[in-house]
Amino acid sequence: MNKYRMCMIPAYPLENVQLLKDRVIFPYVCFRTFGESLRLVTKSTGDYPYLSYLEGAELVALPEEQPHMEAAVHYVTEHVDEIDLLFLFGARGEYMELTHIYKSLRPDGIIYLKLDINIDWANTLPLFHKPFSDFLHSCDIISCEGRRLQSLLYKKWQRHIEYIPNGVYYPLYPEAADVRFEEKENMILTVGRLGDIQKNSLLLLYAYALAFPNLKEPWELVMVGSVTPEFQTDYEDFCNRYPPLAPHVHLTGNITDKQRLYQYYRRAKIFALPSRGEGGSPNVFSEAAIFGCTVLTTGVDAAPDMTDNGRVGRISSDIEDFEGFAKELSALCCDPAYLARNFHEIRTYIKEFFDYERLASRLRMLVELQALKRRPS
Amino acid sequence: MKIEITDTRITLKDSSESFSILEKPVFPNFHHNVTKRPYISTYYEAGETIWGHCQGGLELLADFCHEDPYFGCYALLFRRLYPLLLSSSQAKNVIAYGQPANCGAYKVFQNFMTFLQEGNALTALAQSSFSFQVLSEQSCHAFLYCLDTHPALSAVCDALRKIRPGGLFLLYTLQDAPPAQLIPLCEKGERDCLGPCTVYAFTVDEALSAFACANSSENLIFSRAEEILKRAGDLQNLIPAMLAGASLSEEVYSIAALILQQTEEILLSIYDYLENDALPVLTNALKEAVLNYYVGVSGQYEITTYREKLTQSSEAFFSAVNAEFIKES
């Protein structure tokens, strides 16, 4: 098996917290799977304590005096011979010069671009701007995070785009290994920036109120995440309007302690994702799924992928339909047999199709294909 | 670039270089004038002559288009078009592709053509290769094609097929050299060049028609369809072997994935003509299923689901390929 010297360059300087997000984790798993080395090239934004989770990866701090991308271009020019596989994250114009330089100096090198876009963003990309279209053209492998988006991009860009979802790196979640359905409680969990327009938290709050009279057993609604002042007001209005429900709705605030967050995933039977839009499947979805939570989501781009087209979760198609979301929520709460069965189904599904180690193995084959394509027949 | 017009000559000039567009005809060649309009004024100075109209037309061209990068190309096109338009009083049908319909050069050409013969028509096509499909074969006397708009051999050949035998095909570009796939064709033409502007001129004869026929999009689609069916045939051997659980090397899976990737690329090359525009993505889904299946086998994971997905994806792919390229009676 070929071993590659890998380099990941973000469009903007990396923050510590991003070291454990898909932009870095996936290149890292690729490095563990088929890499000789991995360099994360960025201007420093402070300390990087999470680097300790990424054994073997090297963080290269770019000089402070230059803008990030200018310094990155300079770095690539100087070290191009040490980069066989270049990881890029985001369909961003900032990469235009970088890719041009890399491909000019290393025509045999491979560029992998993880798009990290949703359909709305895809529709705003300047495809008729030649330097931008050249940038996309210079990427040997491009992947997107949702099948619906993939179909759209095939029609729009007329080039091959791989489907590689945001996945899970299991070694970061040892707590998920021994979770049991019997430990779970009648808890509906959501995690996100509460009150953020995109997260649409109000939909869940009122859908819960609509579903509540239909529930045969008491169910708690736990909402984890930072709270905007507007949502705090909405929550207080809600409690005043529905006093019997107030004791069942819990706002925990932001939880930075991962162990404490995982305890909620362990206890919850249902994970609710009332978003208006997501770029692929969000990290909170895969975290919930590996803990065996059945997912109820609005019809975001990646909803069919997250639920295997509704098999291991439920989709309320209309992102603004309170009653539709409430109906799906009460149906799930009243079907304990499905929740118990789906605890195993969703965990298996995630393991099979969202495990970053398996996705990295597939990417390795795609990288090898590039070499095979270039081989004279 | 500018046009210099004197009493006897019209010249295109670019810094130190120049290109003679037209010279005023002299009396000995007067009998060559087979149009109703006089080349030059004879007994009386009254009335506009062809020469006078040429001068005025090229002045207008300079007014309309001096900032257009194709300005030089238009002048060179006019030079090539001029003898054809004057070859008889028969109405001429000229097709133009590549510039917007309100292009100033089109107005100048049409004005000159109408002056020569009221039935002359210059038709500007929309900037899509589909617009060729509304034209009959061998229906026009000349075709002006901007190579930079759609530099594909199949589209150029589609355009060529619309020209009558003996008609004129003019390819123009701002590129120094044509794309690799068009070099064999361009070598058959006469090349006029000044500064960044190049025009390749062809007179349509049997050899050129045969070349156009062999490389047209119709032929391209047939040959691509054959390539796709050949690859589908190869996959029909490989995938059942995988599903049968045969012990296969990584190379077999890589080859299957490569065949699928090539199939995707071929499908995308004829994407505009596909009835089922989901075929490329179905092909990608099968490639993904093959690779996932291999990851499952090589990682010694439980492969039931991967096998199911591979079965479903291959059925969807083969059925779509059959429906697109074979079609049951």
Side-chain angles (χ1 to χ4, degrees), chain A residues 184-191 204-205 207-209 211-212 215 217-224 248-250 252 264-265 267-274 293-296 325-326 328-330 332-334 339:
Chain A
K184 287 191 173 283
E185 302 165 15
N186 286 350
M187 179 194 291
I188 302 156
L189 176 68
T190 193
V191 179
L204 175 60
L205 199 57
Y208 175 73
F212 194 81
L215 305 181
E217 298 174 328
W219 280 77
E220 302 299 303
L221 173 61
V222 176
M223 306 180 86
V224 175
H248 298 285
V249 180
H250 312 274
T252 65
Y264 281 109
Y265 285 129
R267 289 163 59 198
K269 285 182 183 169
I270 295 172
F271 183 82
L273 190 71
C293 305
T294 291
V295 174
L296 168 60
F325 203 86
E328 293 292 350
L329 187 62
S330 48
L332 275 182
C333 293
C334 296
L339 294 176

Side-chain angles (χ1 to χ4, degrees), chain A residues 331-346:
Chain A
L332 275 182
C333 293
C334 296
D335 193 351
Y338 172 78
L339 294 176
R341 195 171 61 247
N342 199 52
F343 167 78
H344 300 288
E345 296 281 338
I346 194 166

Side-chain angles (χ1 to χ4, degrees), chain A residues 43 62-72:
Chain A
K43 258 177 90 162
L62 293 170
E64 283 300 310
E65 59 276 11
Q66 274 180 302
H68 170 76
M69 198 43 77
E70 197 180 312

Side-chain angles (χ1 to χ4, degrees), chain A residues 147 154 160 162 352 358, chain B residues 264 284 287-288 305-306:
Chain A
R147 288 194 191 281
Y154 261 86
H160 52 87
E162 310 301 332
E352 286 176 333
R358 298 190 195 192
Chain B
E264 263 180 81
N284 183 277
K287 181 177 77 181
E288 182 192 323
T305 313
Y306 296 133

Side-chain angles (χ1 to χ4, degrees), chain A residues 147 150 154-155 158-163 308 352-353 358 361-362 364-366 369-370 372-373, chain B residues 250 254 258 261 264-265 268 271 277 280-281 284 287-288 291-292 294-295 301 305-306 309:
Chain A
R147 288 194 191 281
Q150 184 194 27
Y154 261 86
K155 294 179 183 189
Q158 293 183 21
R159 66 158 289 164
H160 52 87
I161 307 280
E162 310 301 332
Y163 163 65
D308 197 16
E352 286 176 333
F353 294 100
R358 298 190 195 192
S361 296
R362 174 147 67 88
R364 178 183 74 80
M365 298 285 284
L366 292 169
L369 267 189
Q370 296 301 316
L372 209 57
K373 264 171 71 180
Chain B
E250 177 176 321
S254 296
L258 183 63
Q261 187 143 322
E264 263 180 81
E265 281 159 13
L268 288 167
Y271 181 81
D277 65 1
V281 82
N284 183 277
K287 181 177 77 181
E288 182 192 323
L291 295 179
N292 279 343
Y294 174 68
V295 169
Y301 305 128
T305 313
Y306 296 133
K309 296 273 182 194

